[in-house]
Amino acid sequence: MSEEILINVTPRETRVAVVENGMLQEVHIERASKRGYVGNIYKGKVQRVMPGMQAAFVDIGLSRAAFLHASDIVRSLQGMVVESGEVPTSTPPIHELVREGQDVVVQVVKDPIGSKGARLTTQLSIPSRYLVLLPSTRVLGVSARIEDEAERTRLREALQGQLGEESPGYIIRTNAEGQPGEAMAEDIAYLRKVWAAIEEGIREAPVGSCLYEDLSLPLRALRDLMRRDVEKVRVDSRECYERMRRFMTRFMPEMVERLEHYPGERPIFDLFGVEDEIQRALQKEVPLKSGGYLIIDQTEAMTTIDVNTGAFLGHRNLEDTVYRTNLEAAQAVARQLRLRNLGGIIIIDFIDMDDPEHRRQVLRQLEKSLSRDHAKTTVYEFSPLGLVEMTRKRTTDSLERQLCEPCPACGGRGHVKTVETVTYEIFREITRAVRQFEAETLLVLASPKVVAKILEEESAAVAELEEFIGKTIRLQADERYGQEQYDVVLL
């Protein structure tokens, strides 16, 4: 399995692509105007306690109050008493756990999605390269993805050798597999410093303060996605490359040589076909090599995936055709879930199969293909209606909801790219054009909304781009252009 991580950095947007055997598997996007909150720790204040919902709304300084469920408070309390054997067997009423006006230290586990505020927990966890610190517990755990029992025992003993009697809890991450005890000792020292700073903030910071902020996307990619089978990490920004190199030298020195600065003329995502794959990931229909296809519909409650045979007729009989199409579809579904970052409840409507063994093989193929997914997935057996129900843990918006918005022309039945997305596409097209053609001035023709966005909010970015390319950029609004339409004209 050949795997590479590609990182494209621009002043307002950073994108990370995971490519396996030449195929795009994951895309992560972080914009300066919309950095995610997952992993951040805040000192908040309880605004309202809702007994009917067994939840409280907490002000953590964001535009919308965040949501804290009673079960997410109890987990923290359970962790604190787990060694005494006094673990509660049921969730107490929310009003026994928090009260209005109370200060509370919480961590974001889900970003605001749609009309919902962020989801919180009081069970704090702080990740490093090989470990996750659990300050409110005494539990020592090992990632379930490390399956070798001897290795699990070795890692647990190595960790225990580094800790004192009153040490907080830790989870050994998958990345720790094969690592020496010294590597974990370095992580423990780092996590202790981070926790000391958070404790100081808990005592002194005002309500609404962010006590801990997760790493930027490029460094998170190294921490969370870097595995032994990742051959290269290529980044097209020299400044970001230097930051990542310093991070790797400190936390993963054995992998520093895999980091490369990409200085090429051609945009890195173009070179590896990532841009085209992102565009295809915004389409409802996904073609299969056999001639069949998937139809993916994302709704507020769930995502449905319909499998169709299309033009594939097979070489034997209908059952053989259906079985082979479903096997291929199972692999494609697993890839699309990662690529589109689809989460929550997912219903897959495979083509009906009469043979029970064929059903088992299709389910096995789906589970096998999902095994490399970083998000937690649970797959259930075929239902009486021939549907496969599954769940995938969702912490951030899907790719479609990050890049697109409901179309005003169709009342939300379809999607168009946001003005922000089109703006950054224009910037990339300008960079691409000046590398291919000679011109002193570039004229951008686009819809009034896009031009207004650039002039009002991205004027500094335009100035930076002009300085970078050494050319003049002019903007002209044209009512005839739709929101996604634009032209870059060389003058």
Side-chain angles (χ1 to χ4, degrees):
M1 176 69 70
S2 170
E3 185 172 335
E4 292 191 16
I5 298 174
L6 311 176
I7 303 176
N8 169 232
V9 181
T10 56
R12 298 293 189 272
E13 181 184 59
T14 300
R15 301 182 298 168
V16 171
V18 178
V19 178
E20 294 176 3
N21 293 333
M23 291 187 67
L24 179 64
Q25 299 292 335
E26 295 180 31
V27 179
H28 304 270
I29 299 172
E30 183 174 87
R31 290 172 173 171
S33 59
K34 294 180 182 177
R35 278 204 66 176
Y37 305 105
V38 171
N40 291 1
I41 297 175
Y42 293 88
K43 185 175 182 179
K45 185 183 289 291
V46 178
Q47 278 188 335
R48 282 186 298 159
V49 176
M50 310 289 287
M53 297 174 64
Q54 267 289 74
F57 287 99
V58 181
D59 177 14
I60 59 173
L62 303 182
S63 57
R64 286 198 300 266
F67 183 83
L68 176 64
H69 194 268
S71 60
D72 291 313
I73 306 172
V74 172
R75 271 207 290 275
S76 174
L77 300 176
Q78 285 176 340
M80 296 176 73
V81 298
V82 69
E83 292 192 332
S84 67
E86 300 171 6
V87 179
T89 56
S90 60
T91 304
I94 184 69
H95 60 78
E96 293 183 11
L97 299 171
V98 293
R99 65 183 186 278
E100 291 185 9
Q102 175 185 340
D103 289 356
V104 58
V105 179
V106 291
Q107 187 167 30
V108 178
V109 292
K110 271 188 185 179
D111 275 330
I113 297 176
S115 59
K116 300 174 183 176
R119 178 78 180 256
L120 305 176
T121 181
T122 60
Q123 171 68 76
L124 307 184
S125 62
I126 306 164
S128 66
R129 171 62 180 155
Y130 301 119
L131 302 172
V132 178
L133 170 64
L134 306 174
S136 58
T137 80
R138 299 280 180 83
V139 175
L140 297 183
V142 182
S143 167
R145 288 178 181 261
I146 301 177
E147 298 178 354
D148 185 276
E149 198 56 44
E151 177 66 1
R152 292 173 66 86
T153 302
R154 183 192 74 81
L155 288 169
R156 190 180 285 108
E157 290 175 351
L159 177 61
Q160 287 173 331
Q162 306 285 345
L163 302 175
E165 289 186 7
E166 298 299 315
S167 173
Y170 287 90
I171 292 174
I172 300 171
R173 305 185 68 185
T174 308
N175 286 339
E177 190 169 6
Q179 296 299 321
E182 293 78 13
M184 284 189 280
E186 293 173 1
D187 276 24
I188 291 169
Y190 164 74
L191 290 169
R192 282 173 176 165
K193 290 177 185 177
V194 172
W195 179 240
I198 292 172
E199 285 187 308
E200 183 180 345
I202 292 172
R203 292 190 299 268
E204 301 177 5
V207 169
S209 299
C210 180
L211 307 178
Y212 167 81
E213 189 171 11
D214 206 358
L215 299 171
S216 62
L217 179 57
L219 301 187
R220 287 204 311 276
L222 292 178
R223 184 190 71 195
D224 299 335
L225 304 177
M226 198 67 184
R227 297 183 292 205
R228 279 179 289 181
D229 51 1
V230 174
E231 295 181 356
K232 289 290 180 186
V233 179
R234 305 177 197 267
V235 55
D236 62 5
S237 161
R238 171 62 68 176
E239 181 184 350
C240 185
Y241 166 80
E242 296 296 345
R243 263 200 326 272
M244 294 173 71
R245 189 171 182 84
R246 288 194 296 270
F247 181 88
M248 293 183 80
T249 301
R250 179 176 179 185
F251 293 107
M252 48 188 84
E254 74 284 357
M255 294 185 174
V256 169
E257 296 308 311
R258 303 185 193 185
L259 179 66
E260 285 186 4
H261 173 240
Y262 172 76
E265 287 290 311
R266 192 175 174 195
I268 188 169
F269 274 23
D270 282 10
L271 182 65
F272 288 85
V274 174
E275 293 288 10
D276 291 341
E277 284 293 330
I278 291 174
Q279 300 303 322
R280 282 194 281 270
L282 300 177
Q283 305 297 320
K284 287 178 62 172
E285 186 171 314
V286 179
L288 303 176
K289 290 181 180 178
S290 64
Y293 59 94
L294 310 178
I295 296 292
I296 301 176
D297 275 307
Q298 187 181 351
T299 70
E300 189 70 25
M302 67 182 70
T303 297
T304 62
I305 303 176
D306 185 32
V307 182
N308 296 280
T309 55
F312 184 41
L313 300 176
H315 303 291
R316 299 178 188 173
N317 52 47
L318 180 60
E319 180 70 17
D320 177 67
T321 300
V322 167
Y323 173 55
R324 292 176 181 277
T325 303
N326 282 338
L327 280 177
E328 185 186 359
Q331 297 180 59
V333 165
R335 175 175 178 254
Q336 291 298 322
L337 295 181
R338 287 177 69 187
L339 178 56
R340 298 171 185 242
N341 193 28
L342 298 170
I345 299 170
I346 297 155
I347 307 293
I348 309 168
D349 184 9
F350 286 107
I351 308 164
D352 290 340
M353 294 175 286
D354 296 326
D355 189 338
E357 179 60 26
H358 284 175
R359 289 189 174 200
R360 280 193 293 272
Q361 291 294 339
V362 169
L363 267 182
R364 195 170 295 127
Q365 179 64 67
L366 178 61
E367 290 167 348
K368 179 184 176 183
S369 300
L370 288 167
S371 63
R372 293 184 63 81
D373 197 335
H374 299 284
K376 181 182 178 182
T377 58
T378 305
V379 180
Y380 298 92
E381 297 290 329
F382 276 88
S383 75
L385 293 176
L387 305 175
V388 172
E389 300 173 15
M390 64 169 288
T391 60
R392 184 174 185 270
K393 187 175 180 182
R394 174 170 58 189
T395 56
T396 58
D397 272 332
S398 68
L399 182 67
E400 180 186 277
R401 288 181 177 164
Q402 288 183 71
L403 299 183
C404 303
E405 65 183 9
C407 173
C410 68
R413 293 188 301 274
H415 290 85
V416 295
K417 295 174 189 172
T418 64
V419 172
E420 190 177 26
T421 298
V422 177
T423 296
Y424 296 135
E425 285 191 355
I426 290 172
F427 290 168
R428 290 196 291 271
E429 182 62 29
I430 289 171
T431 305
R432 191 178 292 120
V434 297
R435 286 172 175 168
Q436 290 181 305
F437 308 101
E438 288 295 327
E440 291 302 316
T441 303
L442 294 99
L443 173 63
V444 176
L445 298 166
S447 73
K449 284 180 69 176
V450 172
V451 171
K453 167 82 172 179
I454 296 174
L455 292 175
E456 293 169 11
E457 299 180 29
E458 302 289 352
S459 56
V462 174
E464 290 173 14
L465 187 57
E466 285 183 325
E467 184 176 350
F468 175 71
I469 64 176
K471 314 289 184 186
T472 301
I473 299 172
R474 288 171 46 200
L475 301 163
Q476 182 175 318
D478 192 326
E479 292 283 353
R480 293 169 295 180
Y481 280 75
Q483 186 160 301
E484 293 187 359
Q485 296 174 310
Y486 61 85
D487 284 306
V488 177
V489 182
L490 305 172
L491 301 177

